[in-house]
Amino acid sequence: MKTYILYNTYETGVDLGEEIGCYNSYEEMRKAARQWIEDTDGECSLQYVVLGE
């Protein structure tokens, strides 16, 4: 099972920065990312990490 961890790297640059959340599917993670972008008026830089198989 894969786990998707979403991070906001806007203030930290290339480091992982602030963890937004962990999700069990790519779709859940994308939905959270879209919401985060709307809530911050695009003032964010998002990255994600996939754990598991």
Side-chain angles (χ1 to χ4, degrees):
M1 180 175 171
K2 292 182 180 180
T3 300
Y4 299 83
I5 304 173
L6 186 62
Y7 295 94
N8 180 12
T9 62
Y10 185 72
E11 294 180 7
T12 61
V14 296
D15 297 333
L16 286 179
E18 176 185 1
E19 182 177 320
I20 295 171
C22 297
Y23 307 93
N24 292 324
S25 72
Y26 181 77
E27 292 76 20
E28 285 180 30
M29 187 267 306
R30 291 283 298 168
K31 182 178 178 182
R34 281 192 293 276
Q35 186 63 51
W36 189 267
I37 291 167
E38 287 179 16
D39 291 348
T40 62
D41 293 325
E43 294 289 319
C44 60
S45 177
L46 304 179
Q47 293 183 1
Y48 70 95
V49 174
V50 181
L51 304 175
E53 297 183 23

